[in-house]
Amino acid sequence: MAAYELQSVPATLNKMKMLFWRLDLSKRSFVNLNDCTVSVLGLENYRFFKDREYRERLLFPDDRLLMERAMSNINERVPVRSVFRIQCDNTIYWFKLTGWPTNDYRYYEGAVEEITEHIVWLKNIFDQQNRRLLHVAEDNYPVALFSAQGQKLLDASNLFQQLMRIDLSSDSTYCLDALVDGDLKLPQIVEHLLLDRRLILELFLTAGNAIRVKAICQFIYFVHDGEGYIRLAVIDLVDQSSSPLPRVEKPVINQQVSQVCADLSQCGSIEEMLDRIYQEQNLFPNMDVVMFSDIYARKNKVFVYSKGNMQEPLQPGSQYPYTGTIAENIEKENLEYLIVDDTQSSIKAIDWMLFVPKGLYSYVAKALYVRGAMRTVLILCSKKKNAFSEDQMNDVTSIAKAFHQRLKQLRKGAKT
């Protein structure tokens, strides 16, 4: 690079509305690489990177956990790319943070840019798009609009009404849960939709006159004027030969499982319920430990309770981070349940933090939800590998549901 070009670099960096910085991770020191100040962060930028309390005072509350994860990645020399908000003088400022480890293991460099103007511009574009998404009646393909709260049908195109054999001009009320039938239950679909905004799924649509239509559908969640909406569009019909709904046979629950569920409904505490399940070694011959994980994903917390025989005791209510847990695995992969045959071959953090040290080498886990949010995971554990199978899932699910239901009753009673 020519001398003139080298001299022009600092001047160019200073003209940019972006702060470049370097962290000396060995000395835990922060320096600017240019003289640019970035809005409210430019006042005491070194404190934002080094003083957690100062950083949390500035950050918009919902972004504090996100930023702590970014700072943790920086300390571990992992590249970061994140957007966060600063709340100051009743104004919200948006920033983009990027960072990367240098070739010199000692240093980590990055940039902070204020993007408030870009966010406002994007918001205007999204508002226009969302206004368009509200209008479905005149569309020439099957599409419908539902309220996010309660999932009630608000409007639909003529082709959607014909496909589903419904009539919006009547006094009938239609809800999304009555129209959708698939492997994923509606609360799970809505939960993932709130996070991802768009989903494409193959499922059955339950039409009028007990007709079921297999279709590929796109779900879009959006907000307009403070109200949430769900837009369902039928992209393709997988099986256009509609057939009557088959009779749904409820899975047979054996008497032993029924008795366990009945006993759980009379238990007065988490400990009593775990103890009652632990007594069922005949039902689950390889079970050595039963665990309950109390999930608080937004707070990045999981509290674990257990009953059984382990190499090391587990204190009731032991706390672990949500990141890397069974619950996160189930949620990210959209699983109904999880069977792990060998914890020693796992890459999940919780397996090496909890199960392997306590001599537990396989488990089966079933998750339950409250208003679309995962709250309960019941886990049966074994000191043997390959101890659980798919054939046991009906029994595990029935017991987990009974446990979950009784837990809700106990907590509701504790609040009154």
Side-chain angles (χ1 to χ4, degrees):
M1 184 179 291
Y4 169 76
E5 293 174 317
L6 285 171
Q7 293 173 0
S8 69
V9 170
T12 301
L13 293 180
N14 291 339
K15 291 178 182 178
M16 298 177 67
K17 294 183 179 180
M18 183 181 295
L19 173 67
F20 292 90
W21 47 268
R22 174 184 291 150
L23 280 172
D24 185 331
L25 293 175
S26 63
K27 294 183 177 180
R28 291 295 188 261
S29 62
F30 172 91
V31 294
N32 291 1
L33 298 180
N34 63 331
D35 292 332
C36 176
T37 58
V38 185
S39 184
V40 293
L41 281 190
L43 301 177
E44 295 185 85
N45 46 52
Y46 70 94
R47 289 192 65 188
F48 184 81
F49 286 92
K50 297 185 68 175
D51 186 339
R52 180 175 179 176
E53 291 185 3
Y54 175 81
R55 182 165 60 246
E56 290 195 346
R57 287 201 303 270
L58 287 180
L59 282 169
F60 191 74
D62 290 350
D63 295 344
R64 289 171 183 165
L65 178 59
L66 175 70
M67 185 52 59
E68 284 312 304
R69 289 177 180 171
M71 297 307 296
S72 176
N73 285 338
I74 289 174
N75 289 328
E76 295 174 5
R77 296 172 171 82
V78 176
V80 298
R81 184 185 299 269
S82 181
V83 172
F84 63 92
R85 290 163 288 180
I86 295 292
Q87 187 169 337
C88 182
D89 298 329
N90 297 320
T91 303
I92 300 294
Y93 300 88
W94 290 79
F95 294 89
K96 181 177 72 173
L97 168 70
T98 52
W100 51 89
T102 66
N103 291 334
D104 187 333
Y105 189 73
R106 173 177 172 181
Y107 296 109
Y108 190 100
E109 295 178 349
V112 178
E113 178 184 9
E114 186 185 348
I115 57 172
T116 306
E117 292 181 359
H118 302 293
I119 294 296
V120 173
W121 178 71
L122 288 172
K123 185 177 183 299
N124 290 335
I125 292 178
F126 292 147
D127 284 344
Q128 294 175 14
Q129 292 176 343
N130 291 347
R131 279 196 294 272
R132 166 64 187 90
L133 292 174
L134 279 173
H135 304 294
V136 299
E138 302 303 320
D139 286 333
N140 59 355
Y141 59 94
V143 58
L145 186 70
F146 299 82
S147 61
Q149 186 70 31
Q151 291 94 50
K152 292 183 178 180
L153 180 62
L154 304 176
D155 201 359
S157 65
N158 288 331
L159 287 178
F160 186 89
Q161 295 183 61
Q162 294 173 18
L163 176 68
M164 302 305 297
R165 294 169 173 78
I166 60 178
D167 183 5
L168 288 183
S169 63
S170 68
D171 294 330
S172 301
T173 300
Y174 303 97
C175 293
L176 188 57
D177 61 352
L179 301 178
V180 171
D181 180 21
D183 293 334
L184 277 178
K185 304 306 178 186
L186 184 61
Q188 294 170 281
I189 293 176
V190 172
E191 181 179 3
H192 292 298
L193 191 57
L194 293 177
L195 293 174
D196 299 332
R197 301 291 169 145
R198 290 174 183 263
L199 287 176
I200 294 180
L201 299 172
E202 181 179 298
L203 42 74
F204 286 97
L205 298 176
T206 306
N209 300 325
I211 298 298
R212 193 166 69 160
V213 180
K214 191 176 184 180
I216 297 174
C217 300
Q218 181 187 58
F219 292 85
I220 299 176
Y221 169 77
F222 66 98
V223 177
H224 183 71
D225 287 342
E227 295 292 331
Y229 299 92
I230 295 174
R231 196 174 192 266
L232 167 60
V234 178
I235 299 175
D236 193 15
L237 294 177
V238 179
D239 182 5
Q240 298 191 42
S241 59
S242 303
S243 58
L245 283 170
R247 294 183 60 186
V248 178
E249 299 291 341
K250 293 185 177 180
V252 177
I253 302 178
N254 67 48
Q255 189 62 38
Q256 191 174 356
V257 174
S258 298
Q259 187 60 54
V260 175
C261 295
D263 292 346
L264 289 175
S265 69
Q266 302 301 315
C267 290
S269 66
I270 293 172
E271 291 74 15
E272 287 184 31
M273 289 195 288
L274 292 178
D275 185 65
R276 178 62 189 88
I277 299 172
Y278 181 65
Q279 296 172 19
E280 293 303 318
Q281 266 87 11
N282 290 333
L283 189 59
F284 305 107
N286 293 316
M287 178 181 65
D288 295 299
V289 175
V290 57
M291 290 186 183
F292 155 57
S293 291
D294 197 9
I295 311 300
Y296 297 87
R298 295 187 63 182
K299 297 180 180 179
N300 195 33
K301 294 179 180 179
V302 173
F303 299 92
V304 181
Y305 303 80
S306 68
K307 173 68 177 181
N309 182 17
M310 294 179 282
Q311 287 183 4
E312 300 175 4
L314 180 69
Q315 293 298 319
S318 294
Q319 182 177 328
Y320 297 89
Y322 171 77
T323 305
T325 59
I326 296 169
E328 184 189 45
N329 188 182
I330 290 175
E331 192 163 26
K332 281 188 174 181
E333 300 301 326
N334 301 333
L335 304 175
E336 287 285 337
Y337 54 86
L338 177 64
I339 297 177
V340 170
D341 294 324
D342 183 1
T343 56
Q344 290 181 306
S345 67
S346 172
I347 60 172
K348 292 194 301 302
I350 194 65
D351 288 345
W352 290 95
M353 291 168 60
L354 175 58
F355 294 96
V356 174
K358 299 190 182 302
L360 302 174
Y361 298 124
S362 64
Y363 59 77
V364 56
K366 173 63 182 175
L368 282 305
Y369 298 78
V370 174
R371 293 187 294 275
M374 186 188 299
R375 288 302 309 274
T376 297
V377 179
L378 188 69
I379 312 161
L380 307 185
C381 316
S382 177
K383 294 180 180 180
K384 299 178 181 178
K385 298 179 181 180
N386 303 294
F388 301 99
S389 67
E390 302 280 344
D391 296 339
Q392 297 171 306
M393 282 315 305
N394 282 341
D395 293 343
V396 173
T397 299
S398 298
I399 292 173
K401 287 181 177 179
F403 182 98
H404 180 65
Q405 184 61 33
R406 184 53 179 163
L407 182 64
K408 290 194 295 182
Q409 294 171 350
L410 291 174
R411 288 180 167 168
K412 184 177 180 181
K415 292 179 181 180
T416 59

